[in-house]
């Protein structure tokens, strides 16, 4: 794996943002809209409920910020691929001596940068506007951040593989895939509050123990280490399977000549 090639790919994606400032709007505008909506709902409920329930509602803001970590990591992989499609640069990338692992590493890093920009803005606005400090999670924020980011990368590879397989008609999956699982991973509510039949499915995703752990830390200041071990173990499985799926679909499209057709549509 060549660091020089990875850095060149990352620089190429960064040029897209610096030369087209409107692309930066997507990184800030939609997350802020979600934050303001949930922030206003939180303030409304706090003013019209007892103190204990009002403090419980703050979980919404923490969940919103952590959910965006997962979503932006997924977008970093999927949207970087689509950027190459939209700019007719896909063939140039895969004809060049770029290994698949180098290409994916570059998209992972782009996703990491997207997360940093979005989370800094959201963290600042939530602190100034709603007196919510995400750093109240203390050092637990680090494993929460890392686990959600890795899971987002896995979803990004799955999204990209599906788009490669089904063509540009499936581009909407770049945005839709994370929301397919959002109702199941207990972002805004506890697993025990979900229907009994769906609770076992919730624990099949690494995001579920992270959001459960977030609420536990905010409520008690501590959390069950089993949540972190479960999330890390599931992430290893998801990352391995997603990487295998991406490589398999990519090789299949190359052998069938679908990559050229896809890139020139």
């Amino acid at each position: 794996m060549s660091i020089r090639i990875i850095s060149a790919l990352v620089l190429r994606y960064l040029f897209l943002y610096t030369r087209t400032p409107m692309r930066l709007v997507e990184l800030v505008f939609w997350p802020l809209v979600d934050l303001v909506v949930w922030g206003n709902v939180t303030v409304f409920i706090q003013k019209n409920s007892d103190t204990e329930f009002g403090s419980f509602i703050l979980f919404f803001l923490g969940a919103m910020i952590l959910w965006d970590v997962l979503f932006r990591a997924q977008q970093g992989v999927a949207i970087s691929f689509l950027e190459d499609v939209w700019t007719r640069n896909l063939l140039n990338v895969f004809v060049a001596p770029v290994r698949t692992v180098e290409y994916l590493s570059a998209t992972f890093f782009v996703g990491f940068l997207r997360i940093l920009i979005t989370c800094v803005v959201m963290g600042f606005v939530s602190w100034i506007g709603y007196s919510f400090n995400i750093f109240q999670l203390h050092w637990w924020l680090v494993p929460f951040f890392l686990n959600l980011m890795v899971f987002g990368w896995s979803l990004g590879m799955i999204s990209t593989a599906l788009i490669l397989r089904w063509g540009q008609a499936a581009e909407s999956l770049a945005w839709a895939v994370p929301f397919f699982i959002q109702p199941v991973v207990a972002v805004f509510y506890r697993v025990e509050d979900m229907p009994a039949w769906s609770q076992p499915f919730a624990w099949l995703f690494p995001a579920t123990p992270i959001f459960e752990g977030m609420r536990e830390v905010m409520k008690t200041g501590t959390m069950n280490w089993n949540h972190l071990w479960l999330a890390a173990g599931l992430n290893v499985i998801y990352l391995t399977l997603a990487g295998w799926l991406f490589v398999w679909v990519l090789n299949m499209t190359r052998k069938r000549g679908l990559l050229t057709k896809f890139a020139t549509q």
Side-chain angles (χ1 to χ4, degrees):
M1 194 166 60
S2 171
I3 300 299
R4 181 177 60 85
I5 293 177
I6 295 174
S7 60
L9 287 172
V10 171
L11 189 61
R12 188 260 170 188
Y13 292 126
L14 293 180
F15 282 154
L16 290 174
Y17 290 95
T18 57
R19 294 181 179 180
T20 312
M22 286 303 296
R23 296 176 189 268
L24 294 174
V25 174
E26 183 264 340
L27 290 179
V28 177
F29 178 75
W30 292 115
L32 280 182
V33 169
D34 289 336
L35 182 65
V36 170
V37 169
W38 281 105
N40 291 341
V41 169
T42 299
V43 171
F44 170 77
I45 296 177
Q46 281 181 321
K47 291 182 177 179
N48 294 275
S49 63
D50 58 78
T51 305
E52 182 179 356
F53 183 71
S55 61
F56 180 82
I57 294 299
L58 285 175
F59 294 165
F60 285 165
L61 290 179
M64 189 68 252
I65 294 175
L66 289 184
W67 168 256
D68 218 69
V69 172
L70 187 157
F71 182 66
R72 295 298 155 184
Q74 183 269 343
Q75 292 276 282
V77 179
I79 297 301
S80 294
F81 171 79
L82 288 178
E83 292 283 7
D84 287 321
V85 175
W86 295 332
T87 57
R88 298 294 187 269
N89 192 56
L90 190 63
L91 284 181
N92 296 332
V93 172
F94 287 107
V95 168
V98 177
R99 297 182 179 89
T100 302
V101 67
E102 293 167 342
Y103 177 79
L104 288 174
S105 297
T107 60
F108 289 170
F109 190 74
V110 171
F112 174 72
L113 294 179
R114 290 169 65 95
I115 292 171
L116 285 183
I117 295 173
T118 303
C119 287
V120 167
V121 173
M122 292 182 70
F124 180 75
V125 173
S126 64
W127 177 49
I128 296 297
Y130 304 104
S131 299
F132 175 80
N133 185 4
I134 190 64
F135 291 104
Q136 67 180 279
L137 296 175
H138 305 297
W139 76 270
W140 295 105
L141 185 61
V142 176
F144 290 170
F145 181 96
L146 292 177
N147 275 285
L148 290 175
M149 182 173 64
V150 172
F151 185 45
W153 289 344
S154 300
L155 293 181
M157 286 190 288
I158 294 172
S159 306
T160 306
L162 294 176
I163 295 171
L164 269 172
R165 175 62 183 84
W166 302 110
Q168 293 190 34
E171 284 185 3
S172 60
L173 292 175
W175 293 269
V177 165
F179 293 99
F180 288 157
I181 67 166
Q182 189 184 50
V184 186
V185 297
V187 179
F188 300 109
Y189 39 79
R190 299 173 300 180
V191 174
E192 63 187 70
D193 297 324
M194 297 169 58
W197 62 267
S198 66
Q199 293 180 16
F201 294 101
W203 294 108
L204 296 177
F205 299 96
T208 303
I210 296 302
F211 288 111
E212 286 285 278
M214 175 210 69
R215 286 183 283 270
E216 188 176 348
V217 170
M218 290 181 64
K219 187 175 182 180
T220 66
T222 61
M223 73 168 290
N224 188 341
W225 275 90
N226 290 332
H227 286 333
L228 284 182
W229 291 120
L230 176 61
L234 288 173
N235 265 325
V236 171
I237 296 173
Y238 271 91
L239 195 64
T240 302
L241 292 177
W244 172 83
L245 177 65
F246 179 83
V247 172
W248 179 70
V249 172
L250 179 61
N251 290 335
M252 181 185 66
T253 55
R254 281 172 166 169
K255 290 178 181 179
R256 295 182 179 181
L258 298 177
L259 187 62
T260 302
K261 181 180 177 181
F262 179 79
T264 56
Q265 284 180 344

